[in-house]
Amino acid sequence: MKKIKLALLTVALASSSMAAMAQDNKAALIKQFIDIQRPGIESLARGLVEQSSAPIAQAGSQYLQTQVPEAKRESAAKAADAELKKYFDDAYPVVRDKAVQLAPGALTPLLEQNFSEDELKQLLAWINSPLSKKYQDLNPKMQTALTEKLVAETRGSIEPKMRALDTNVAKALGAPTDGGQGSAPAKAPAKAPAKK
């Protein structure tokens, strides 16, 4: 009887040990996946910071076109651009570092629940493959090609709607308009800083 209990205990301990090793292997694969995703995580942070300042940049551009005398617009635009760049340079490292710090805690449970160890191995093999790298390199070009075609094909119908929207929003706010023709197109003096 003691031999059976000892055998059962040995099997239970071995199973427990193997399960712990499998969890360690899976955790290592998840860490590797998250490490590979770091550029995307940093890009997400960049996008969030740029989005956060976009309404201010847009409002500033509109104000520049309607409220600042033409003779002072260029210098005012440069000053606004400098402030936007300063904000980006200050905010981006904070958001980027926090995103990198939070990623393991936010992504690990999702990856653990949705992927087996074998699937994680396959995913990492795909991500590190030459075909995946080729696709990742081509993807921005494909997006640009589609965007350019889409803008060219829809510009004629969308621009009048945008001008009407601009005029209608200005009227709703009691802001000056240029006689119902829509505001003059902004030169985009207060644009988001260039990507680094």
Side-chain angles (χ1 to χ4, degrees):
M1 185 67 146
K2 286 186 178 184
K3 287 183 179 180
I4 294 174
K5 286 183 181 177
L6 183 57
L8 290 174
L9 182 60
T10 302
V11 168
L13 287 174
S15 297
S16 174
S17 177
M18 288 181 0
M21 285 179 17
Q23 273 304 103
D24 288 346
N25 288 345
K26 192 171 180 181
L29 291 168
I30 289 172
K31 181 185 181 320
Q32 185 180 357
F33 176 81
I34 292 171
D35 289 346
I36 290 171
Q37 296 305 308
R38 184 173 177 142
I41 293 166
E42 291 178 356
S43 180
L44 171 74
R46 175 183 301 280
L48 288 172
V49 172
E50 289 172 348
Q51 286 176 10
S52 71
S53 63
I56 295 169
Q58 290 170 350
S61 178
Q62 183 65 29
Y63 183 83
L64 188 69
Q65 295 300 316
T66 61
Q67 302 296 316
V68 176
E70 192 170 345
K72 295 183 179 183
R73 284 185 191 156
E74 187 175 341
S75 64
K78 286 180 182 175
D81 282 346
E83 290 301 321
L84 286 164
K85 184 178 181 333
K86 180 180 173 190
Y87 166 78
F88 181 85
D89 291 346
D90 289 345
Y92 173 64
V94 172
V95 177
R96 178 200 61 216
D97 294 348
K98 185 56 77 171
V100 168
Q101 176 191 1
L102 293 173
L107 302 180
T108 297
L110 292 170
L111 293 166
E112 282 178 347
Q113 293 168 9
N114 291 288
F115 292 99
S116 68
E117 181 177 340
D118 188 50
E119 289 171 328
L120 286 167
K121 287 177 183 176
Q122 291 175 43
L123 183 60
L124 287 167
W126 157 252
I127 289 171
N128 289 316
S129 74
L131 180 59
S132 174
K133 292 186 187 321
K134 185 176 183 179
Y135 172 75
Q136 290 171 12
D137 290 344
L138 184 60
N139 197 37
K141 293 175 186 171
M142 291 189 304
Q143 289 179 0
T144 298
L146 176 58
T147 300
E148 288 173 356
K149 183 94 172 143
L150 180 62
V151 168
E153 294 288 324
T154 60
R155 178 177 282 131
S157 59
I158 296 300
E159 283 183 351
K161 294 177 188 308
M162 288 180 62
R163 284 192 297 273
L165 174 65
D166 186 37
T167 298
N168 293 339
V169 169
K171 285 179 184 176
L173 296 173
T177 65
D178 64 355
Q181 299 299 314
S183 295
K187 291 188 262 184
K191 62 184 178 227
K195 293 187 179 189
K196 297 181 182 184

Coordinates of all heavy atoms in Angstrom, one line a residue, residues 134-167:
K134 N 8.9 40.9 -45.0 CA 8.6 41.5 -46.3 C 7.2 42.1 -46.3 O 7.0 43.3 -46.8 CB 8.7 40.4 -47.3 CG 8.5 40.9 -48.8 CD 8.7 39.8 -49.7 CE 8.7 40.2 -51.2 NZ 8.9 39.1 -52.1
Y135 N 6.2 41.4 -45.7 CA 4.9 42.0 -45.6 C 4.8 43.3 -44.8 O 4.2 44.2 -45.1 CB 3.9 40.9 -45.0 CG 2.6 41.5 -44.7 CD1 1.7 41.7 -45.7 CD2 2.2 41.8 -43.4 CE1 0.4 42.3 -45.5 CE2 1.0 42.3 -43.1 CZ 0.1 42.6 -44.2 OH -1.2 43.1 -43.9
Q136 N 5.5 43.2 -43.6 CA 5.5 44.4 -42.8 C 6.2 45.6 -43.5 O 5.7 46.8 -43.3 CB 6.3 44.1 -41.5 CG 5.5 43.2 -40.6 CD 6.3 42.7 -39.4 OE1 7.4 43.2 -39.1 NE2 5.9 41.7 -38.7
D137 N 7.2 45.4 -44.3 CA 7.8 46.5 -45.0 C 6.9 47.0 -46.1 O 6.9 48.2 -46.4 CB 9.2 46.0 -45.7 CG 10.3 45.7 -44.7 OD1 10.1 46.2 -43.5 OD2 11.2 45.0 -45.0
L138 N 6.1 46.1 -46.7 CA 5.3 46.5 -47.8 C 4.0 47.1 -47.3 O 3.4 48.0 -48.0 CB 4.9 45.3 -48.7 CG 4.1 45.6 -50.0 CD1 4.8 46.6 -50.9 CD2 3.8 44.3 -50.7
N139 N 3.5 46.8 -46.1 CA 2.2 47.2 -45.6 C 2.1 48.7 -45.7 O 1.0 49.2 -46.1 CB 2.0 46.7 -44.2 CG 0.5 46.8 -43.9 OD1 -0.4 46.6 -44.7 ND2 0.3 47.0 -42.6
P140 N 3.0 49.6 -45.2 CA 2.8 51.0 -45.3 C 2.6 51.5 -46.7 O 1.9 52.4 -47.0 CB 4.1 51.6 -44.7 CG 4.6 50.5 -43.8 CD 4.2 49.2 -44.5
K141 N 3.4 50.9 -47.7 CA 3.2 51.3 -49.1 C 1.8 50.9 -49.6 O 1.3 51.7 -50.4 CB 4.3 50.6 -49.9 CG 5.7 51.1 -49.6 CD 6.8 50.3 -50.4 CE 8.1 50.7 -49.9 NZ 9.2 49.8 -50.5
M142 N 1.3 49.8 -49.2 CA 0.0 49.4 -49.6 C -1.1 50.4 -49.0 O -2.0 50.8 -49.7 CB -0.3 48.0 -49.2 CG 0.5 46.9 -49.9 SD 0.0 45.2 -49.6 CE 0.0 45.0 -47.8
Q143 N -0.9 50.7 -47.8 CA -1.8 51.7 -47.1 C -1.7 53.0 -47.9 O -2.8 53.7 -48.1 CB -1.5 51.9 -45.7 CG -1.9 50.6 -44.9 CD -1.5 50.8 -43.4 OE1 -1.0 51.8 -42.9 NE2 -1.9 49.8 -42.6
T144 N -0.5 53.5 -48.2 CA -0.4 54.8 -48.9 C -1.0 54.7 -50.3 O -1.7 55.6 -50.7 CB 1.1 55.1 -49.0 OG1 1.7 55.2 -47.7 CG2 1.4 56.4 -49.8
A145 N -0.8 53.6 -51.0 CA -1.4 53.5 -52.3 C -2.9 53.5 -52.3 O -3.6 54.3 -53.0 CB -0.9 52.2 -53.0
L146 N -3.5 52.8 -51.3 CA -5.0 52.9 -51.2 C -5.4 54.2 -50.7 O -6.4 54.8 -51.2 CB -5.4 51.8 -50.2 CG -6.9 51.8 -49.9 CD1 -7.7 51.6 -51.1 CD2 -7.2 50.7 -48.8
T147 N -4.7 54.8 -49.8 CA -5.1 56.2 -49.3 C -5.1 57.2 -50.4 O -6.1 58.0 -50.6 CB -4.2 56.6 -48.1 OG1 -4.3 55.7 -47.1 CG2 -4.6 58.0 -47.6
E148 N -4.0 57.2 -51.2 CA -3.9 58.2 -52.3 C -5.1 58.0 -53.3 O -5.7 58.9 -53.8 CB -2.6 58.0 -53.0 CG -1.4 58.5 -52.2 CD -0.1 58.3 -52.8 OE1 0.0 57.6 -53.8 OE2 0.9 58.7 -52.2
K149 N -5.4 56.7 -53.6 CA -6.5 56.4 -54.6 C -7.8 56.8 -54.0 O -8.6 57.5 -54.7 CB -6.4 54.9 -54.9 CG -7.4 54.5 -55.9 CD -6.8 54.5 -57.3 CE -7.8 53.8 -58.3 NZ -7.7 54.5 -59.5
L150 N -8.0 56.5 -52.7 CA -9.3 56.9 -52.1 C -9.5 58.4 -52.0 O -10.6 58.9 -52.3 CB -9.3 56.2 -50.7 CG -10.5 56.5 -49.8 CD1 -11.8 55.9 -50.5 CD2 -10.4 55.9 -48.4
V151 N -8.5 59.1 -51.6 CA -8.6 60.6 -51.6 C -8.8 61.1 -52.9 O -9.7 62.0 -53.1 CB -7.3 61.2 -50.9 CG1 -7.2 62.7 -51.1 CG2 -7.2 60.8 -49.4
A152 N -8.1 60.7 -53.9 CA -8.3 61.2 -55.3 C -9.7 60.9 -55.8 O -10.3 61.8 -56.4 CB -7.3 60.5 -56.3
E153 N -10.3 59.7 -55.5 CA -11.6 59.4 -56.0 C -12.7 60.0 -55.2 O -13.8 60.2 -55.7 CB -11.8 57.8 -55.9 CG -10.9 57.1 -56.8 CD -11.3 57.2 -58.3 OE1 -12.5 57.3 -58.6 OE2 -10.4 57.2 -59.1
T154 N -12.5 60.4 -53.9 CA -13.6 61.0 -53.1 C -13.4 62.5 -52.9 O -14.3 63.1 -52.4 CB -13.7 60.3 -51.8 OG1 -12.4 60.5 -51.0 CG2 -14.0 58.8 -51.9
R155 N -12.3 63.1 -53.3 CA -12.1 64.5 -53.0 C -13.2 65.4 -53.5 O -13.7 66.3 -52.8 CB -10.7 65.0 -53.7 CG -10.5 66.4 -53.5 CD -9.1 66.9 -54.0 NE -8.1 66.5 -53.1 CZ -7.0 65.8 -53.4 NH1 -6.7 65.5 -54.6 NH2 -6.2 65.4 -52.4
G156 N -13.6 65.2 -54.8 CA -14.7 66.0 -55.4 C -16.0 66.0 -54.6 O -16.6 67.1 -54.5
S157 N -16.3 64.9 -54.0 CA -17.6 64.9 -53.2 C -17.4 65.3 -51.8 O -18.3 65.7 -51.1 CB -18.3 63.5 -53.4 OG -17.4 62.5 -52.9
I158 N -16.2 65.1 -51.2 CA -16.0 65.3 -49.8 C -15.6 66.8 -49.5 O -16.1 67.3 -48.5 CB -14.9 64.4 -49.2 CG1 -15.4 62.9 -49.3 CG2 -14.5 64.7 -47.8 CD1 -16.7 62.6 -48.6
E159 N -14.8 67.4 -50.3 CA -14.4 68.8 -50.1 C -15.5 69.7 -49.9 O -15.5 70.6 -49.0 CB -13.3 69.2 -51.1 CG -12.0 68.7 -50.9 CD -10.9 69.2 -51.8 OE1 -11.3 69.9 -52.8 OE2 -9.7 68.9 -51.6
P160 N -16.6 69.7 -50.8 CA -17.7 70.6 -50.6 C -18.4 70.4 -49.3 O -18.8 71.3 -48.6 CB -18.6 70.3 -51.8 CG -17.8 69.7 -52.8 CD -16.7 69.0 -52.1
K161 N -18.5 69.1 -48.9 CA -19.1 68.8 -47.6 C -18.3 69.3 -46.4 O -18.8 69.8 -45.4 CB -19.2 67.3 -47.4 CG -20.2 66.6 -48.4 CD -20.3 65.1 -48.2 CE -21.1 64.4 -49.3 NZ -22.4 64.9 -49.5
M162 N -16.9 69.3 -46.5 CA -16.1 69.8 -45.5 C -16.2 71.3 -45.4 O -16.2 71.9 -44.3 CB -14.6 69.4 -45.8 CG -14.4 67.9 -45.5 SD -12.7 67.4 -45.8 CE -11.8 68.4 -44.6
R163 N -16.2 72.0 -46.6 CA -16.4 73.4 -46.6 C -17.7 73.8 -45.9 O -17.8 74.8 -45.1 CB -16.3 74.0 -48.0 CG -14.9 74.0 -48.5 CD -14.7 74.8 -49.8 NE -15.5 74.3 -50.9 CZ -15.0 73.3 -51.7 NH1 -13.8 72.9 -51.6 NH2 -15.8 72.9 -52.7
A164 N -18.8 73.1 -46.3 CA -20.1 73.4 -45.7 C -20.1 73.1 -44.2 O -20.6 73.9 -43.4 CB -21.2 72.5 -46.3
L165 N -19.4 72.0 -43.8 CA -19.3 71.8 -42.3 C -18.5 72.9 -41.6 O -19.0 73.4 -40.6 CB -18.6 70.4 -42.1 CG -18.2 70.1 -40.7 CD1 -19.5 69.9 -39.8 CD2 -17.3 68.8 -40.6
D166 N -17.4 73.3 -42.2 CA -16.6 74.4 -41.6 C -17.5 75.6 -41.4 O -17.5 76.3 -40.4 CB -15.4 74.7 -42.5 CG -14.5 75.7 -41.9 OD1 -14.3 75.7 -40.7 OD2 -13.9 76.5 -42.7
T167 N -18.2 76.0 -42.5 CA -19.1 77.2 -42.4 C -20.2 77.0 -41.4 O -20.4 77.9 -40.6 CB -19.7 77.5 -43.8 OG1 -18.6 77.7 -44.7 CG2 -20.6 78.7 -43.7

